[in-house]
C-alpha cells in the first residue's frame, strides 16, 4: 500500500500559497491531467483573473530537482498573489484530496452563509471547527450533505469561478479530485483574495492556524518551528492509501 501525502498551506507574511502532492506509487488514479485555470481577483464575481504560469524551476531549482528525482506521482503549485504568478510542476495533474478537501467544504459553507446574507449557524460553527482543527471526518460528512453533497459543492465552485477541483459524484468527499494549481489558487483566494468576507476569512485563518499537532504531520512538519511561528503558518494535510507497491 502506498501513501499519498497531500498538503496545502499559506505563509501569511510572505505571502505564498502552496499545494503539494507526493507519492511513492507510479500512478495515483486513472484520471488524466486536464488544463485548469485559477487566480486571484478583487471582487466577489465568478470571473477569475488570468495568472502567469511559470515552471517551478524559476522559483527554486532545488525544489524542481528534488521533484524530478522522485518516482511516482507528484505535483506542486506555488501562488505569489501580489505578482499574480503561479509556479508549477505537474500543476494540472489530478490527485485524490482526502482531508485536504475539508478546506473546500469550509469555504463552501462560509460562502453559502454570505450568499444567503446570514451568520453561520451554531450547528455549522460546531462542525467547522473540529473538521479543520481536528480533521474530524464525521463533521466533514455532515457539512458535505448539509451543502447538498457533490452537486452543492460543484455549484459553489462554479459560482465562484474555481477550476481544477472535482467533488466526488458518489459523495465520498475524500475521493474528490484536485490539481495542485486548483488547490493553491483556492487557498490564495481564501487568504488574500475575494473568496470570503473579512469575518469569515479571519475565522477560516484561525481554524487553519489552530490545526492540532497530530494533524500537522505531513509536508509542513519538516519546517523549523521558528519559521512556522514567524510566518503564522496555515495548513491542512491529508493522506490517501493506494494499492500499489512502493
Amino acid at each position: 500500500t502506498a501513501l499519498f501525502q497531500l498538503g496545502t498551506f499559506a505563509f501569511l507574511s510572505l505571502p505564498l500559497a502552496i499545494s503539494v502532492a507526493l507519492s511513492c506509487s507510479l500512478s495515483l488514479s486513472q484520471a488524466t491531467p486536464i488544463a485548469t485555470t485559477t487566480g486571484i481577483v478583487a471582487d466577489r464575481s465568478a470571473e477569475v483573473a488570468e495568472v502567469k504560469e511559470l515552471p517551478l524551476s524559476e522559483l527554486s531549482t532545488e525544489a524542481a530537482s528534488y521533484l524530478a528525482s522522485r518516482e511516482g506521482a507528484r505535483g506542486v503549485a506555488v501562488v505569489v498573489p501580489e505578482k499574480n504568478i503561479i509556479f508549477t510542476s505537474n500543476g494540472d495533474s489530478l490527485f485524490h484530496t482526502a482531508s485536504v478537501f475539508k478546506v473546500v467544504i469550509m469555504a463552501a459553507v462560509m460562502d453559502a452563509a454570505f450568499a444567503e446574507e446570514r451568520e453561520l449557524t451554531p450547528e455549522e460553527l460546531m462542525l467547522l471547527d473540529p473538521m479543520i482543527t481536528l480533521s474530524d471526518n464525521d463533521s466533514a460528512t455532515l457539512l458535505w450533505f448539509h451543502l447538498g453533497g457533490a452537486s452543492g459543492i460543484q455549484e459553489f465552485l462554479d459560482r465562484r469561478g474555481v477550476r481544477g477541483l472535482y467533488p466526488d459524484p458518489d459523495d465520498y468527499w475524500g475521493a474528490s479530485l484536485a490539481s495542485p494549481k486548483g488547490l493553491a489558487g483556492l487557498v490564495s483566494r481564501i487568504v488574500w483574495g475575494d473568496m470570503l468576507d473579512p469575518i469569515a476569512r479571519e475565522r477560516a485563518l484561525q481554524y487553519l492556524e489552530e490545526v492540532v499537532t497530530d494533524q500537522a504531520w505531513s509536508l509542513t512538519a519538516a519546517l523549523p518551528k521558528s519559521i512556522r511561528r514567524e510566518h503564522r503558518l496555515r495548513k491542512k494535510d491529508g493522506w490517501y492509501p493506494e494499492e500499489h507497491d512502493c
Side-chain angles (χ1 to χ4, degrees), residues 144-145 150 167-173 175:
W144 171 279
F145 287 109
D168 180 64
D170 294 322
D171 282 323
Y172 294 102
W173 51 262

Side-chain angles (χ1 to χ4, degrees), residues 26-186:
L26 292 179
S27 63
L28 173 66
S29 70
Q30 294 180 347
T32 55
I34 63 168
T36 62
T37 180
T38 187
I40 305 92
V41 293
D43 57 38
R44 293 182 60 86
S45 70
E47 294 188 11
V48 180
E50 291 294 327
V51 297
K52 183 178 182 180
E53 183 174 0
L54 297 173
L56 182 65
S57 58
E58 294 199 19
L59 176 67
S60 170
T61 55
E62 291 183 356
S65 296
Y66 171 73
L67 283 176
S69 71
R70 290 182 58 96
E71 294 184 356
R74 69 270 190 194
V76 175
V78 181
V79 173
V80 184
E82 61 185 12
K83 296 182 179 180
N84 216 30
I85 293 176
I86 185 166
F87 298 90
T88 65
S89 176
N90 296 326
D92 290 320
S93 298
L94 294 181
F95 300 89
H96 287 117
T97 53
S99 287
V100 175
F101 207 79
K102 292 168 183 172
V103 176
V104 183
I105 297 173
M106 174 185 68
V109 170
M110 292 179 169
D111 185 75
F114 181 89
E116 296 167 9
E117 299 182 346
R118 62 171 177 82
E119 300 290 333
L120 290 166
T121 68
E123 292 78 12
E124 289 170 336
L125 290 169
M126 184 176 63
L127 295 172
L128 281 168
D129 189 336
M131 179 182 72
I132 298 298
T133 63
L134 305 178
S135 201
D136 184 70
N137 291 336
D138 291 338
S139 297
T141 299
L142 289 170
L143 287 172
W144 171 279
F145 287 109
H146 171 66
L147 292 163
S151 61
I153 298 289
Q154 188 63 58
E155 180 182 352
F156 156 69
L157 296 173
D158 292 342
R159 184 175 69 253
R160 305 299 291 118
V162 178
R163 304 289 179 262
L165 296 165
Y166 301 91
D168 180 64
D170 294 322
D171 282 323
Y172 294 102
W173 51 262
S176 299
L177 297 172
S179 68
K181 281 171 60 178
L183 280 174
L186 176 74

Side-chain angles (χ1 to χ4, degrees), residues 16 21 25 78:
L16 295 172
S25 65
V78 181

